[in-house]
Amino acid sequence: MSEPYDHLLERYARLVIRVGVNVQPGQEVVINGLPEQADVARALAHEAYRVGASRVTINYEDLHLRRSAVQHAPEEMLGRTPQHQLEGIRAWRESRPAVIRLTGNPAPGLMDGLDPERLAKAQPVDLVAEVSPILTTNQVAWTVVGAPTPGWAASVGVADVARLWDAVARAMRLDEVDPVEAWRRHVEKLATRAATLNDHSFDRIRYRGPGTDLTIGLAERSTWCGGSVLSEDGVEFVPNMPTEEVFISPDWRRADGVVRTTAPFFLASMGALVEDLELELRDGTITEARATRGEAEVQQQFDLIPRSRHLGEVAIVDSDSRVATTGLVFKDMLYDENVGSHIAWGFGFPFSFDGAMELSSQERIASGLNQANTHVDVVVGNPEVQIDGIQRDGTVVPVTRGDEFVLGS
């Protein structure tokens, strides 16, 4: 990290540690990232100790090692996580660490040319199966944040990592006099927006625009969320930074129509950029998927991961989005999902579904909340896509118009 960015990185770490995961005195902290992201990981560790963390652990995964495994490892070993790693994650239920995952692929083309089937099988599904129940039920405070690197900057198409840091700083409100206070105001705005949606008790949400006419059913137990949430221990935290969305987990059995993505996205699990994706859904199932780029990788995920053809999230993002104002395609889901309104296939969030925290995985599915070892957000909104809420009596209520949130205005 060059000298001019030391102060920026310090402000970044302060925001993530004090707002993102809200580290408590005496708490353990776990940071998961890549070797190329070490500067950010170390800054976060330093700030965590400053606020009183008892122990900080940094776990590095090497993408080059994964590529070698896809090329040469025995097929029966693909995707199998060492037992000690799985046991370490299970221990989180007792140790209750604050968990931070760094994102921003430093080598997005690294998996190009690999066998898509072996690449899909190399995904650590057993690891996801251990992590997801802990994080998605908020047993611990957790967050996902970006870590700028030269490789990520090159893939985004900016001049250098300094320009990427400028964009990240804008998206993270580091340009505010007091970023921590700015985030508290932002979180409050999103919470108010979610409450407005909940007050209307919509039965369905409809997206309409060029190439899109999709109606998604909500369950009576579905609840709009946005901004911060509480861990089991009562600690307020922000799961995604940045975040510009209000979102809900729908009834996976109720989705019909067609939808076209309005922004490219990077399918990280397959190492593939996907462009111009079109989906058809019938009775809650994705029945067709076409894309000008990345279609084979999307199909591979659908074929290999059970229940990945059902929706787990519906989200609304309007033109206030700080991420959208950067004008960049970050090729990273954390950022790119916040460019516009989106949907996601795969895992639905138990904390967005009343009573689901106490249900088993099969009971959640039976109640309408999808469960799967993947969660992929795809942007389907822009100023030409209108979003309506439909009440149980058929009354249609505008939610967005021209990319502006108008409900309750």
Side-chain angles (χ1 to χ4, degrees), residues 310-354:
H310 308 300
L311 299 185
E313 181 186 359
V314 177
I316 298 171
V317 177
D318 72 1
S319 59
D320 285 344
S321 167
R322 280 291 196 102
V323 179
T325 62
T326 68
L328 297 179
V329 177
F330 287 85
K331 297 183 181 177
D332 183 88
M333 194 176 298
L334 172 67
Y335 278 78
D336 290 337
E337 73 164 0
N338 285 298
V339 168
S341 296
H342 53 273
I343 60 175
W345 64 71
F347 194 88
F349 304 112
F351 60 81
S352 179
F353 213 81
D354 286 346

Side-chain angles (χ1 to χ4, degrees), residues 34 36 61-68 70-71 105-115 119 155 266 270-272:
L34 303 171
E36 296 89 341
E61 178 197 3
D62 194 326
L63 293 178
H64 294 267
L65 179 61
R66 180 179 292 187
R67 177 181 173 85
S68 295
V70 173
Q71 289 177 303
N105 195 329
L110 185 63
M111 305 301 174
D112 290 353
L114 297 182
D115 180 349
L119 184 59
S155 74
F266 190 73
M270 300 297 292

